[in-house]
């Protein structure tokens, strides 16, 4: 068996660090949203691992929903334009306290467009919870209300994040060896 670990050059955030942080964020969210109508919105696919963990670290009643979005323009995405909704939410947002669960805030373009779109649906509030943040890459004026770890400007995989749809199931966040990309 060739394990995925063999493709990893460096671990940036360990499984233990992720676990501890998720518990801490869950406690904080449980306190902040007490008495509110919390709806956790997971942006697929990258946030699926974080979502599964954070929802169990939240100790107050909350609903979950899922969304698939893509920015127009692919790699050349700019801060203008729209986000294309590939799979919309099932829930009616009116009166809900929406917490978007994301894997990483990178350029911020996707969420800077998605948040106003969701706000048009008259929720009580919309906030962002991201396990990773790459502040050096930011193009849009957006920040996470709940944040796990800042990472340097490097392409990372694991804990939901993929390279070519793989490595999402790594239990930690790491950087791939250069030879993996040249294959
Ligand atoms: P942005 O903030 O609009 O640039 O988009 C962020 C999305 O791009 C994330 O939700 C990830 O799915 C993906 N992404 C950004 N940086 C990385 C990375 O380092 N590894 C894997 N996916 C990434
Ligand atoms: Mg994503």
């Amino acid at each position: 068996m060739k394990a995925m670990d063999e493709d990893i050059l460096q671990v940036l955030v360990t499984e233990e660090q992720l676990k501890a942080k998720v518990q801490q964020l869950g406690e904080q969210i449980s306190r902040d949203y007490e008495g509110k109508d919390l709806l956790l919105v997971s942006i697929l696919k990258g946030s699926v691992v974080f979502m599964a963990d954070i929802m169990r670290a939240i100790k107050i009643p909350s609903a979950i929903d899922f969304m698939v979005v893509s920015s127009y323009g692919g790699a050349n995405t700019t801060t203008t334009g729209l986000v294309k909704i590939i799979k919309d939410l099932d829930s009616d947002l009116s009166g809900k306290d929406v917490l978007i669960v994301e894997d990483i805030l990178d350029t911020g373009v996707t969420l800077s467009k998605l948040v106003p779109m969701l706000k048009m649906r008259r929720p009580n509030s919309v906030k962002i919870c991201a396990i990773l943040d790459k502040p050096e890459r930011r193009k849009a004026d957006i920040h996470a209300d709940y944040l796990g770890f800042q990472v340097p400007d490097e392409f990372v995989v694991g804990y939901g994040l993929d390279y070519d749809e793989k490595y999402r199931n790594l239990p930690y966040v790491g950087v791939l060896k250069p030879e993996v990309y040249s294959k």
Side-chain angles (χ1 to χ4, degrees):
M1 182 191 75
K2 187 180 177 294
M4 287 180 291
D5 303 82
E6 293 171 42
D7 291 339
I8 300 299
L9 179 70
Q10 190 196 355
V11 177
L12 292 182
V13 190
T14 67
E15 198 172 352
E16 292 70 31
Q17 286 176 310
L18 287 162
K19 259 189 193 137
K21 185 64 80 177
V22 166
Q23 286 312 309
Q24 192 188 319
L25 288 171
E27 281 165 27
Q28 200 183 336
I29 292 164
S30 304
R31 277 196 303 273
D32 294 354
Y33 284 86
E34 192 170 5
K36 299 200 167 181
D37 199 355
L38 176 58
L39 174 67
L40 300 170
V41 169
S42 160
I43 311 298
L44 295 172
K45 303 169 194 172
S47 75
V48 72
V49 180
F50 180 40
M51 179 68 164
D53 284 345
I54 193 80
M55 63 186 280
R56 288 175 294 172
I58 294 172
K59 303 302 179 192
I60 56 166
S62 46
I64 63 168
D65 208 340
F66 299 88
M67 203 168 190
V68 180
V69 297
S70 83
S71 298
Y72 287 113
N76 303 314
T77 312
T78 60
T79 50
T80 57
L82 284 167
V83 139
K84 187 167 156 193
I85 298 176
I86 313 288
K87 186 239 171 265
D88 206 342
L89 299 168
D90 299 325
S91 325
D92 177 358
L93 297 191
S94 57
K96 299 270 167 63
D97 289 287
V98 174
L99 185 57
I100 299 172
V101 176
E102 252 294 32
D103 52 357
I104 189 166
L105 208 49
D106 185 33
T107 64
V109 170
T110 314
L111 286 189
S112 72
K113 291 185 237 164
L114 182 63
V115 169
M117 287 167 82
L118 295 183
K119 282 187 174 165
M120 284 168 65
R121 302 179 188 186
R122 305 264 170 237
N124 191 48
S125 66
V126 179
K127 288 193 173 177
I128 298 168
C129 176
I131 189 65
L132 300 174
D133 181 26
K134 239 191 246 177
E136 288 168 58
R137 291 251 310 161
R138 200 77 86 251
K139 284 194 225 164
D141 180 22
I142 195 154
H143 70 278
D145 301 282
Y146 300 92
L147 174 66
F149 301 91
Q150 288 195 345
V151 291
D153 183 8
E154 283 182 86
F155 193 80
V156 297
V157 295
Y159 204 64
L161 292 110
D162 72 304
Y163 166 63
D164 200 15
E165 290 301 325
K166 291 190 267 297
Y167 303 99
R168 294 191 195 276
N169 55 324
L170 267 182
Y172 53 83
V173 175
V175 180
L176 286 171
K177 291 177 180 167
E179 59 259 36
V180 177
Y181 300 107
S182 45
K183 262 184 225 163

